[in-house]
Amino acid sequence: MKKIFIYPPNSLILGDLVERFGHKPLMLNNVVGKKVRTPEIDSPPMNMTDEDPKKGLRYAAIEVPSGVRGRMSLIGPLIEEADAAIIMDEAPIAFGCIGCARTNELTKYLIRRRRIPKLNLIYPKNEEEAKVVVQKIAKFLEELE
């Protein structure tokens, strides 16, 4: 079983596909879920500690907006942990947007820099394209074994 970083990092659809093919999806949802359920963190609604933005400095310079650093404090470790990545471009917001163009650019850059196997896809526009996308994902994940 490989650890697969998915982009957008909160896409339940990609996460489900990765799990169905026997791998572990590295998703923002899982990280945020742990923070929400951790009793020691008492800063709703963000559930971030004072240390989280500092962790983000590893991935983004101090001049970068704090929101980007905060997001990267969660996303960066997932990218470092990944054995491979699936990147879905041109997806609609409902597919898994994280709402920050700079974070999106930085995330893709860090994935490229890692030089791990990656599958780049364009969001399908119809059912036939969707079937092809699923086939490509299945083939990519099988070849990782």
Side-chain angles (χ1 to χ4, degrees):
M1 174 174 38
K2 300 287 185 179
K3 296 176 184 177
I4 313 299
F5 180 80
I6 58 171
Y7 176 87
N10 59 353
S11 172
L12 295 175
I13 295 169
L14 286 178
D16 182 62
L17 279 171
V18 168
E19 281 182 342
R20 285 177 190 238
F21 290 106
H23 297 282
K24 179 182 178 185
L26 299 177
M27 302 174 59
L28 193 56
N29 308 32
N30 297 340
V31 176
V32 172
K34 285 179 190 172
K35 288 190 164 291
V36 170
R37 290 185 296 275
T38 301
E40 293 84 35
I41 298 178
D42 190 25
S43 59
M46 297 179 295
N47 290 84
M48 293 196 61
T49 66
D50 295 340
E51 295 300 311
D52 287 330
K54 292 176 190 173
K55 289 178 190 172
L57 286 171
R58 178 174 179 167
Y59 309 101
I62 190 72
E63 295 84 11
V64 171
S66 60
V68 174
R69 285 195 316 275
R71 288 179 189 95
M72 292 312 299
S73 73
L74 304 175
I75 296 169
L78 294 175
I79 295 170
E80 287 184 8
E81 186 180 351
D83 297 315
I86 297 175
I87 302 166
M88 181 74 71
D89 284 317
E90 299 179 24
I93 289 174
F95 186 76
C97 174
I98 60 173
C100 177
R102 297 299 167 243
T103 302
N104 293 339
E105 290 173 12
L106 185 54
T107 297
K108 289 179 184 179
Y109 168 73
L110 291 174
I111 293 168
R112 282 192 311 270
R113 194 172 78 183
R114 278 283 323 276
R115 299 182 189 263
I116 56 176
K118 65 181 177 294
L119 176 64
N120 290 298
L121 302 165
I122 301 294
Y123 187 82
K125 308 284 188 271
N126 56 50
E127 186 176 340
E128 193 59 39
E129 288 180 10
K131 289 177 184 177
V132 171
V133 163
V134 171
Q135 290 170 351
K136 286 180 179 181
I137 291 172
K139 183 176 185 234
F140 175 74
L141 294 173
E142 287 171 7
E143 289 175 353
L144 289 176
E145 292 301 322

